[in-house]
């Protein structure tokens, strides 16, 4: 989760995720997704000997060992993408057999649900919109179309994937605002990045944050191992 020493921390991450999923009294879909994805990422991390997984890997000669590492990593990253695509495909197809999803009215019932409905601060805006049939139908069927589109990200061309990624983030961001499922949304944000972000491209934001952190002045307690600056006396004239 932090990116430090993935070869050693990924097994712990997978163990904690599986243990929580297996022993928690109440779980939700995000816990199951975490357990599956951390398990599929385990072979990828074991092939990664970097100290910090946000940094670029130094180029290496393409020998047999390196070929095997790349084969294992690409295979399991492909399985991760297949798993995430299956999640969205199942989520979309399963909704079609529910009459309220098919007729475009289910959003009204979920948004007015006493437990999972819109929060009080959003109710003055949401409830008047729920009285408009076209708005309710557009949100309902738009969700189905978006989930099918996300599932199609498995075979979509590379230039379309950023749009799908933005749509997926908007979908789960809306789930946070309306239903308050924060942990589930965070898990799906990570799953969408693994699914739609190109493997051969570094994430820009973490790298910028890392550079910014390194540029910030550090307290003296963290600089004990730095060589002391040598004071050069001024030239006597």
């Amino acid at each position: 989760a932090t990116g430090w020493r993935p070869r050693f921390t990924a097994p712990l991450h997978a163990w904690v995720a599986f243990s929580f999923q297996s022993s928690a009294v109440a779980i939700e879909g995000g816990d199951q997704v975490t357990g599956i994805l951390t398990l599929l990422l385990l072979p990828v991390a074991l092939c990664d000997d970097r100290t910090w997984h946000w940094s670029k890997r130094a180029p290496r000669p393409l020998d047999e060992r390196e070929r095997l590492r790349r084969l294992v990593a690409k295979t399991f990253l492909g399985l991760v993408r297949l798993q995430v695509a299956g999640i969205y495909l199942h989520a979309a197809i399963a909704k079609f057999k529910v009459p309220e999803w098919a007729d475009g009215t289910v959003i009204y019932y979920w948004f007015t649900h006493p437990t999972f409905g819109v929060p009080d601060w959003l109710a003055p805006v949401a409830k008047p919109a729920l009285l408009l049939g076209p708005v309710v139908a557009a949100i309902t069927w738009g969700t189905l179309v978006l989930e099918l589109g996300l599932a199609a990200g498995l075979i979509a061309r590379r230039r379309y994937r950023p749009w799908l990624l933005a749509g997926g983030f908007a979908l789960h961001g809306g789930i946070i605002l309306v239903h308050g499922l924060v942990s589930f949304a965070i898990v799906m944000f990570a799953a969408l990045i693994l699914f739609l972000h190109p493997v051969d491209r570094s994430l820009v934001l973490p790298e910028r944050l890392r550079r910014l952190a390194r540029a910030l002045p550090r307290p003296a307690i963290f600089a004990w191992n730095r060589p002391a600056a040598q004071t050069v006396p001024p030239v006597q004239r």
Side-chain angles (χ1 to χ4, degrees), residues 9-225:
T9 54
L12 299 176
H13 191 181
W15 175 47
V16 170
F18 175 77
S19 300
F20 184 83
Q21 177 191 348
S22 303
S23 59
V25 176
I27 63 172
E28 40 95 355
D31 303 321
Q32 296 174 330
V33 174
T34 302
I36 295 171
L37 293 187
T38 51
L39 182 62
L40 291 176
L41 286 173
L42 188 54
V44 182
L46 292 176
C47 294
D48 191 350
D49 56 357
R50 289 175 295 176
T51 304
W52 187 249
H53 79 187
W54 298 111
S55 60
K56 293 183 179 180
R57 192 163 180 248
R60 295 187 175 186
L62 195 60
D63 53 11
E64 291 299 324
R65 187 175 181 180
E66 182 65 18
R67 290 179 188 271
L68 181 59
R69 282 182 177 180
R70 295 186 183 188
L71 177 62
V72 172
K74 289 183 178 180
T75 299
F76 280 90
L77 286 173
L79 291 176
V80 168
R81 298 192 68 233
L82 184 63
Q83 174 64 69
V84 178
I87 291 173
Y88 285 105
L89 182 63
H90 180 270
I93 293 178
K95 291 180 176 67
F96 282 102
K97 66 180 181 180
V98 180
E100 290 78 11
W101 277 102
D103 62 21
T105 61
V106 74
I107 291 297
Y108 174 84
Y109 300 110
W110 274 115
F111 279 28
T112 57
H113 194 279
T115 303
F116 299 104
V118 295
D120 293 337
W121 64 270
L122 192 59
V125 177
K127 289 187 175 180
L130 294 175
L131 300 178
L132 303 175
V135 174
V136 175
I139 298 175
T140 303
W141 293 332
T143 302
L144 296 175
V145 172
L146 180 55
E147 288 180 340
L148 288 174
L150 289 171
L154 183 65
I155 57 175
R157 294 185 178 180
R158 189 162 174 162
R159 66 174 180 269
Y160 298 126
R161 293 180 188 176
W163 297 99
L164 293 174
L165 183 61
F169 270 55
L171 172 65
H172 292 287
I175 291 175
I176 291 178
L177 293 177
V178 176
H179 303 300
L181 300 177
V182 179
S183 60
F184 171 71
I186 292 175
V187 171
M188 296 313 298
F189 288 156
L192 285 168
I193 293 173
L194 291 169
F195 178 43
L196 295 171
H197 191 274
V199 179
D200 57 347
R201 288 181 55 190
S202 300
L203 292 170
V204 177
L205 183 58
E207 180 64 21
R208 289 180 178 176
L209 292 176
R210 188 176 69 90
R211 292 179 181 178
L212 178 62
R214 294 183 65 181
L216 293 176
R218 300 182 182 181
I221 190 173
F222 297 111
W224 61 273
N225 57 346

